[in-house]
Amino acid sequence: MSGKINNSQSYVKYIEVPVPVLGNNIADVERLKAPLLKELKGVDNIFVPTGLAVNLPSKLRKWGNRIKVVLFRDSRGWFVVDLLEPDPDKPLFGLAVDLGTTRIVLRLVNLEISTNISSASCHETAFDNPQVKVAPDVLARIHHAGTEKGRSELQDLVIEGLSNNINILCRKQGVEPKQVVLLTVAGNSAMTHLFLGIESSFLIREPYIPAVNAPEPVTASELGIGINPRGMVYMFPNIGSYFGGDLISGILFAGLNKKENPCIMVDVGTNAEVVVGNRDWLIACAGAAGPALEGGVSDMGMTAKPGVIDTVKIDRETGKVDIHTIDEKSPIGICGSGMIDLAAQLFLSGMVDIRGKFVPSVCGSRYIEVGGEGENRGAFCLVKASESGTGKDILLTQIDMNSLTSSKAAMYSILQVIVEKTAGLEFSELAKFYVAGTFGSFIKPVSAISIGMLPDIPLDRFEVLGNSSLEGASRLLMDPNAFDEIEKIRHGITYIELNVNQEFMNIFSGSKFYPHTDISRFPSVISKC
Amino acid sequence: MSGKINNSQSYVKYIEVPVPVLGNNIADVERLKAPLLKELKGVDNIFVPTGLAVNLPSKLRKWGNRIKVVLFRDSRGWFVVDLLEPDPDKPLFGLAVDLGTTRIVLRLVNLEISTNISSASCHETAFDNPQVKVAPDVLARIHHAGTEKGRSELQDLVIEGLSNNINILCRKQGVEPKQVVLLTVAGNSAMTHLFLGIESSFLIREPYIPAVNAPEPVTASELGIGINPRGMVYMFPNIGSYFGGDLISGILFAGLNKKENPCIMVDVGTNAEVVVGNRDWLIACAGAAGPALEGGVSDMGMTAKPGVIDTVKIDRETGKVDIHTIDEKSPIGICGSGMIDLAAQLFLSGMVDIRGKFVPSVCGSRYIEVGGEGENRGAFCLVKASESGTGKDILLTQIDMNSLTSSKAAMYSILQVIVEKTAGLEFSELAKFYVAGTFGSFIKPVSAISIGMLPDIPLDRFEVLGNSSLEGASRLLMDPNAFDEIEKIRHGITYIELNVNQEFMNIFSGSKFYPHTDISRFPSVISKC
């Protein structure tokens, strides 16, 4: 666990304090500040909480005027988190936390050695957000948090789950939980509010106002998290109810704020969050894209797990359907990215028309009727009961398809509003198209383009970021300068409210066709049809 | 209790928060900051602890976007202490605390109305420092605080005593203790350390290093003080083990740091603390002056209480002795200032010589022998047993006299070192001679000059400050700008260590004569002899 001590760019400093002599009455706290300020070039004050003075005199003298100082920052600058024995064999750790609505991911980072993310990433753990027990979705949780009791119940659940999992992760790595002194947490605005026990009701009521955009760091003991009680918990800031810290963390990781040419980052999900810009400007928006994109739309829709269909291919000559399932288990359902694949294949093979309606004559025996009115009574049988893991047909109904059509249209409209109407760019001017979020990492851009969900730009411009929220949180643990970047990102973003955007509604109708009413927008798709 | 709300120069602000609207996603905390920063001209950030965001959304909406904000400062600038209902009928209060070794004085100050000190001063209470129970003197308390148990025992005693007395004082004024949101506490370095529960052992060991010079404010709940739990406790900073916050508070009150011409402030006691300077420079020192000056030297020495002799006159023609006692009760002893009076009268009447020795032939029947060697066997009978309240003679022995001689010589030497040798001034150049501290307020300058304890400057330059420690603490409650003054004072003072000052020892010998070996220093005394 020991390694090269990195004193220059780190929250942990090994400090040599000048020995006190007669004729120099400077107190221990103030004598400690001087060498600390030397380390933090350009900083003119460092806050030392009075509680840390309590035992400082005997500590300094016992440790021969050498001391390990844990530092952190808030909106007012640097402060001392804790003063510890200068023992390099008990290094201090930080934890990056991706605070997801469904899943929480932790990564343990050694704060005392220069390390890179990839080597550190093995020290990770993930667990279901224990708030799922109360309600799976954000809205229901916020309603539940409407009473003080409900609020503290939800907070207790997530804090307790976090503490337990920190404990397990630490033990596995031979680290004591009290060696963890910093937590950087990236979550959406609602999860951040619930985590801090802050009233969240007004997040979801017009005009959608968070209680706080940039919460100041709080101590682990204040939140009851089982690490060093003086340890600090930093929450990534949000810029609105629907644009949270997970996205700010993602922007930091993608480095959008440092690019010369405009790039875009999109977190695709039930809510689509989008930010476009470069080192000079950033524009963001968020909008409902519909649950279809996360597999939450129909009986067969589900999130990724063994047996879930993630890839679909349809031979345009023979109409033969090929599927692939996660872990190659018997198929039990389909995930959002599989559904995008399926829709793309159906459209390219002519099995659905430009309105997204099944064409029974092309579908052949796979077209069945399951009830419903008029055009909506049909369904496409992806897997027959005899071949499925559930013993039932795995169907994509016309209703499911309609829902997917709305979702993909919403996604494209959001992109068009922000890129063309707001930033005044052509899609082709985007140097990079970053896809953030867990769900996004499974989408095949070529399929998403085929259905007109994502713009028709060269495939090599798409880049999957993976868990960008966790990566950004890790970055902050390894580089204190990221603070300034986060502040710059936060203050530099112009947020566009789609709820009040008339343009969005106008564009939305045209986007409901496959791939689009304006087919000149999708030359690569047209060439395949 | 209500009155004109003073929003400009106050820690309490009534704030109107802009109503949130669609298209402006600024969160409640950040929306509150904007009007606050407008109030605090020239301030570019204000810290809002995350804990205050917890209920802010419903508070703001319940109170119609109006809110009462309590502000305070630390080394990093302004922060929000609490957010309360904007009810002017429940005004908020501060408490100024003179944290004396022997006595603690509290003054309740309404933070919401423009008030002046004199009208507020009726809302005061005083009580014995409960740490006296463990040990009356500072040294013994510091020894007692050498263990963690002893330290917390001493802290608990003073905190509990304070809480009880705050409660009593508040109830008497019809104020709820939770209406108290700020405490400004001025005490010497040892009392400040013990109050905060900070290790104090090194204060009294060479090289005499405090744990902290300028402790950051702490919350009332952290210290367990029974006011608003979020209320802040500010401790006046010290500049060394022997120059504490009580003196910084005194300098603030006397306005030494704003004077054009050099002035001096002296706190006379067992330890003499001295500061000389003006708006451009300040030099301070502290030295042991001996217990004689606080009446702690002999059987008859005592602190001021009914029956204690505070004034002595001896008729130079008849040798008749006139005394005055506090509350005009039968005499039981003499206080320090009475002793200075007595010594002055004995010297001026020729009853003691220039070496401070009794002259039996002049003393007449009042001279008696009480044992001891040679010159030291004599005593002066101030009150005969038949006339005393104790049934015993009240005696000033030669041993007492010798002790007083040392004390007055130390006092004068300290003044000479700092004024002449360090600041390079003549005593006559001092525009004002401020006498601080409770004991100092009883000293008659004319008597102190007569024995060569204070320099022979015009009497109208002497000014008694009273409880300057309490007055400075009150000043900070009424004027937030005093923060900057305190910091300027603290950083501007040059502290001279007398323990390592050779000049002091050289000067001391000459000062042991009455009034001084160099009689040209005391023209007014010589003219009376």
Side-chain angles (χ1 to χ4, degrees):
Chain A
M1 274 294 161
S2 75
K4 191 174 154 276
I5 292 164
N6 174 16
N7 231 5
S8 63
Q9 273 307 325
S10 167
Y11 299 102
V12 181
K13 309 270 181 200
Y14 284 73
I15 294 292
E16 194 94 35
V17 180
V19 177
V21 289
L22 251 182
N24 181 347
N25 288 74
I26 298 175
D28 292 329
V29 165
E30 283 77 5
R31 216 150 17 83
L32 170 68
K33 276 188 182 185
L36 268 178
L37 288 174
K38 227 182 218 173
E39 286 276 341
L40 301 168
K41 286 170 196 80
V43 174
D44 63 357
N45 185 25
I46 179 154
F47 185 89
V48 184
T50 296
L52 287 176
V54 166
N55 299 304
L56 182 60
S58 57
K59 278 180 175 178
L60 273 182
R61 282 147 188 94
K62 190 167 79 187
W63 299 332
N65 293 294
R66 291 184 63 250
I67 198 158
K68 179 147 81 175
V69 183
V70 186
L71 300 170
F72 205 58
R73 278 177 62 171
D74 59 24
S75 75
R76 299 200 293 172
W78 288 95
F79 60 90
V80 174
V81 173
D82 208 352
L83 299 170
L84 297 163
E85 191 172 358
D87 179 359
D89 291 331
K90 281 226 169 173
L92 300 176
F93 289 82
L95 260 176
V97 181
D98 167 34
L99 183 66
T101 307
T102 315
R103 209 69 185 140
I104 297 174
V105 190
L106 308 180
R107 180 183 289 166
L108 195 62
V109 175
N110 187 326
L111 296 173
E112 300 196 24
I113 51 171
S114 306
T115 181
N116 58 52
I117 294 181
S118 54
S119 82
S121 58
C122 49
H123 306 325
E124 279 186 23
T125 192
F127 59 103
D128 289 339
N129 186 330
Q131 294 175 333
V132 169
K133 204 188 291 180
V134 170
D137 65 301
V138 172
L139 267 162
R141 285 186 213 170
I142 290 178
H143 283 301
H144 191 83
T147 65
E148 208 165 313
K149 187 167 159 281
R151 200 164 75 236
S152 79
E153 185 188 342
L154 282 166
Q155 189 187 18
D156 291 350
L157 277 171
V158 66
I159 297 291
E160 202 181 300
L162 182 64
S163 290
N164 291 342
N165 282 278
I166 289 173
N167 198 34
I168 293 165
L169 178 61
C170 283
R171 303 260 168 238
K172 211 180 279 178
Q173 301 301 328
V175 171
E176 290 176 54
K178 71 172 184 187
Q179 284 172 264
V180 178
V181 291
L182 298 178
L183 252 67
T184 51
V185 184
N188 64 40
S189 302
M191 287 308 112
T192 301
H193 277 59
L194 294 174
F195 185 85
L196 294 171
I198 295 175
E199 289 179 354
S200 51
S201 316
F202 297 97
L203 284 174
I204 52 167
R205 285 191 213 167
E206 214 183 288
Y208 314 108
I209 302 297
V212 56
N213 286 135
E216 301 285 356
V218 290
T219 60
S221 72
E222 209 174 320
L223 291 176
I225 299 173
I227 59 166
N228 177 322
R230 289 193 172 275
M232 293 309 299
V233 181
Y234 172 87
M235 308 299 295
F236 274 77
N238 66 67
I239 56 162
S241 290
Y242 296 106
F243 201 96
D246 49 348
L247 298 159
I248 301 291
S249 179
I251 295 170
L252 176 72
F253 174 61
L256 221 63
N257 55 310
K258 288 180 162 179
K259 304 287 180 192
E260 190 179 341
N261 296 315
C263 297
I264 193 166
M265 187 183 89
V266 181
D267 192 327
V268 196
T270 307
N271 270 299
E273 292 105 353
V274 181
V275 57
V276 59
N278 63 9
R279 63 188 177 199
D280 299 320
W281 55 272
L282 291 167
I283 301 172
C285 71
L293 296 184
E294 277 189 314
V297 71
S298 68
D299 283 348
M300 75 164 187
M302 43 186 66
T303 51
K305 60 186 167 191
V308 166
I309 299 161
D310 60 355
T311 306
V312 179
K313 267 197 187 142
I314 301 178
D315 188 295
R316 290 168 68 176
E317 303 295 316
T318 63
K320 187 172 170 279
V321 177
D322 262 344
I323 59 161
H324 177 267
T325 63
I326 295 171
D327 291 355
E328 302 187 348
K329 303 274 182 208
S330 294
I332 54 168
I334 191 164
C335 65
S337 56
M339 188 115 57
I340 290 167
D341 246 24
L342 173 56
Q345 294 294 311
L346 288 171
F347 170 62
L348 292 176
S349 64
M351 289 178 179
V352 301
D353 63 17
I354 59 164
R355 297 169 308 142
K357 304 295 178 187
F358 291 124
V359 182
S361 61
V362 186
C363 292
S365 65
R366 290 201 177 250
Y367 180 79
I368 56 173
E369 297 196 343
V370 290
E373 299 275 310
E375 277 184 338
N376 288 338
R377 68 185 181 277
F380 180 83
C381 180
L382 182 59
V383 180
K384 289 198 177 112
S386 58
E387 289 160 19
S388 88
T390 59
K392 284 186 203 163
D393 288 346
I394 297 179
L395 300 177
L396 177 72
T397 66
Q398 185 62 57
I399 311 275
D400 297 341
M401 232 358 244
N402 296 348
S403 177
L404 181 69
T405 303
S406 285
S407 290
K408 77 101 188 171
M411 186 72 234
Y412 190 81
S413 306
I414 291 168
L415 296 174
Q416 203 180 335
V417 167
I418 193 167
V419 175
E420 299 182 354
K421 304 292 177 184
T422 312
L425 295 172
E426 309 265 328
F427 282 127
S428 60
E429 291 178 82
L430 297 172
K432 277 283 175 191
F433 194 111
Y434 295 106
V435 183
T438 317
F439 169 66
S441 54
F442 296 106
I443 293 181
K444 292 176 201 76
V446 66
S447 298
I449 293 170
S450 295
I451 62 168
M453 179 177 128
L454 296 184
D456 194 1
I457 58 172
L459 289 177
D460 61 8
R461 298 203 192 158
F462 288 94
E463 194 171 319
V464 165
L465 294 175
N467 191 340
S468 51
S469 161
L470 183 70
E471 298 297 344
S474 305
R475 167 77 200 290
L476 179 59
L477 284 178
M478 282 175 293
D479 178 13
N481 291 329
F483 266 105
D484 298 319
E485 275 191 70
I486 293 168
E487 284 306 292
K488 231 183 119 191
I489 291 168
R490 180 168 91 80
H491 289 296
I493 289 184
T494 306
Y495 184 80
I496 305 301
E497 190 66 67
L498 285 186
N499 294 317
V500 288
N501 194 303
Q502 189 51 48
E503 216 132 28
F504 175 81
M505 293 315 295
N506 300 341
I507 287 172
F508 181 62
S509 312
S511 307
K512 285 174 91 172
F513 289 80
Y514 284 75
H516 198 276
T517 358
D518 177 5
I519 55 167
S520 70
R521 289 179 165 273
F522 288 88
S524 83
V525 181
I526 298 316
S527 70
K528 290 185 211 161
C529 290
Chain B
M1 273 293 161
S2 74
K4 192 174 153 277
I5 293 165
N6 174 17
N7 232 5
S8 63
Q9 274 308 325
S10 166
Y11 300 102
V12 182
K13 309 270 181 200
Y14 284 73
I15 295 291
E16 194 95 35
V17 180
V19 178
V21 288
L22 253 183
N24 182 346
N25 288 74
I26 298 175
D28 291 330
V29 165
E30 283 77 6
R31 214 148 19 83
L32 170 69
K33 276 188 181 185
L36 268 176
L37 288 174
K38 226 182 218 170
E39 287 275 342
L40 300 167
K41 285 171 198 77
V43 174
D44 62 358
N45 185 26
I46 179 154
F47 184 90
V48 184
T50 296
L52 287 176
V54 166
N55 300 304
L56 183 60
S58 56
K59 278 180 174 176
L60 273 182
R61 283 147 187 95
K62 190 167 80 188
W63 299 333
N65 292 294
R66 291 183 65 250
I67 199 157
K68 179 147 82 175
V69 183
V70 185
L71 299 170
F72 204 59
R73 278 177 65 170
D74 60 24
S75 75
R76 299 201 293 172
W78 288 94
F79 61 91
V80 175
V81 173
D82 208 353
L83 299 169
L84 298 163
E85 191 172 359
D87 178 359
D89 290 333
K90 280 224 170 174
L92 301 176
F93 289 81
L95 260 175
V97 181
D98 167 34
L99 183 65
T101 308
T102 314
R103 212 65 188 141
I104 297 175
V105 190
L106 308 181
R107 178 184 291 166
L108 195 63
V109 175
N110 186 326
L111 296 173
E112 300 195 25
I113 51 170
S114 307
T115 180
N116 58 53
I117 296 181
S118 53
S119 81
S121 58
C122 47
H123 306 322
E124 278 187 22
T125 192
F127 59 102
D128 287 341
N129 186 330
Q131 294 174 333
V132 169
K133 204 189 289 182
V134 169
D137 65 302
V138 173
L139 267 162
R141 286 185 213 170
I142 290 177
H143 283 301
H144 190 83
T147 66
E148 208 165 311
K149 187 167 160 280
R151 199 163 77 236
S152 77
E153 183 189 346
L154 283 166
Q155 189 188 17
D156 291 350
L157 277 171
V158 67
I159 296 290
E160 202 181 300
L162 182 63
S163 289
N164 291 342
N165 282 279
I166 289 174
N167 198 33
I168 294 165
L169 178 60
C170 283
R171 305 259 166 239
K172 210 180 279 177
Q173 301 300 328
V175 171
E176 290 176 55
K178 70 172 183 187
Q179 285 172 264
V180 178
V181 290
L182 299 178
L183 251 68
T184 51
V185 184
N188 64 40
S189 302
M191 287 306 112
T192 300
H193 278 59
L194 294 174
F195 185 84
L196 294 171
I198 295 175
E199 288 178 354
S200 51
S201 315
F202 298 96
L203 284 173
I204 53 167
R205 286 191 214 167
E206 215 183 286
Y208 316 107
I209 301 296
V212 56
N213 287 135
E216 301 285 355
V218 290
T219 60
S221 72
E222 208 173 319
L223 291 175
I225 300 173
I227 59 167
N228 176 321
R230 290 193 171 275
M232 294 308 300
V233 181
Y234 172 87
M235 309 298 295
F236 273 77
N238 67 66
I239 53 163
S241 291
Y242 295 106
F243 202 95
D246 49 347
L247 298 159
I248 302 291
S249 180
I251 294 170
L252 175 73
F253 174 62
L256 220 63
N257 54 310
K258 289 181 163 178
K259 304 288 180 191
E260 190 179 343
N261 297 315
C263 296
I264 194 167
M265 186 182 91
V266 181
D267 192 328
V268 195
T270 306
N271 270 299
E273 292 105 354
V274 182
V275 57
V276 60
N278 62 10
R279 61 188 177 199
D280 300 318
W281 55 273
L282 291 167
I283 300 171
C285 71
L293 296 183
E294 277 190 314
V297 72
S298 69
D299 285 348
M300 76 165 188
M302 43 186 67
T303 51
K305 60 187 167 191
V308 165
I309 299 162
D310 60 357
T311 307
V312 179
K313 269 198 185 139
I314 299 178
D315 189 295
R316 291 168 68 178
E317 302 294 316
T318 63
K320 186 172 171 281
V321 177
D322 261 343
I323 59 161
H324 177 266
T325 64
I326 295 171
D327 291 355
E328 301 184 351
K329 303 274 182 210
S330 294
I332 56 169
I334 192 164
C335 65
S337 56
M339 188 116 55
I340 290 167
D341 246 25
L342 172 57
Q345 293 295 310
L346 287 170
F347 170 63
L348 292 175
S349 63
M351 289 176 176
V352 302
D353 63 18
I354 58 163
R355 298 170 308 142
K357 304 295 178 188
F358 292 124
V359 181
S361 60
V362 187
C363 293
S365 65
R366 290 199 177 250
Y367 180 80
I368 56 174
E369 296 198 344
V370 290
E373 298 277 309
E375 277 186 338
N376 288 337
R377 68 184 182 277
F380 180 84
C381 180
L382 182 58
V383 181
K384 290 200 175 109
S386 58
E387 287 160 18
S388 89
T390 60
K392 284 187 204 162
D393 287 348
I394 297 178
L395 298 178
L396 178 73
T397 67
Q398 185 62 57
I399 311 276
D400 297 340
M401 240 344 255
N402 296 350
S403 176
L404 182 68
T405 302
S406 286
S407 290
K408 77 100 186 171
M411 186 72 236
Y412 190 82
S413 305
I414 292 169
L415 295 175
Q416 203 180 336
V417 167
I418 194 168
V419 174
E420 298 183 355
K421 304 292 177 182
T422 313
L425 295 173
E426 309 266 327
F427 282 126
S428 60
E429 292 177 81
L430 297 173
K432 277 283 174 192
F433 194 111
Y434 295 106
V435 183
T438 317
F439 168 66
S441 54
F442 296 106
I443 293 180
K444 292 177 202 73
V446 67
S447 298
I449 294 169
S450 295
I451 63 168
M453 179 177 129
L454 296 183
D456 195 0
I457 58 173
L459 288 179
D460 60 9
R461 298 203 191 160
F462 288 93
E463 195 171 317
V464 166
L465 293 176
N467 191 339
S468 51
S469 162
L470 183 70
E471 298 296 346
S474 305
R475 167 77 199 289
L476 179 59
L477 285 178
M478 282 175 295
D479 178 12
N481 292 328
F483 266 104
D484 297 320
E485 274 192 72
I486 292 168
E487 283 307 291
K488 233 183 116 191
I489 291 167
R490 179 169 91 80
H491 289 295
I493 290 183
T494 305
Y495 184 80
I496 306 303
E497 191 65 69
L498 284 186
N499 294 318
V500 287
N501 194 303
Q502 190 50 50
E503 213 132 29
F504 175 82
M505 293 315 295
N506 300 343
I507 288 170
F508 181 62
S509 312
S511 306
K512 287 175 89 172
F513 288 79
Y514 284 76
H516 197 275
T517 357
D518 176 5
I519 55 168
S520 70
R521 291 179 163 273
F522 290 87
S524 84
V525 182
I526 299 314
S527 71
K528 291 185 208 159
C529 289

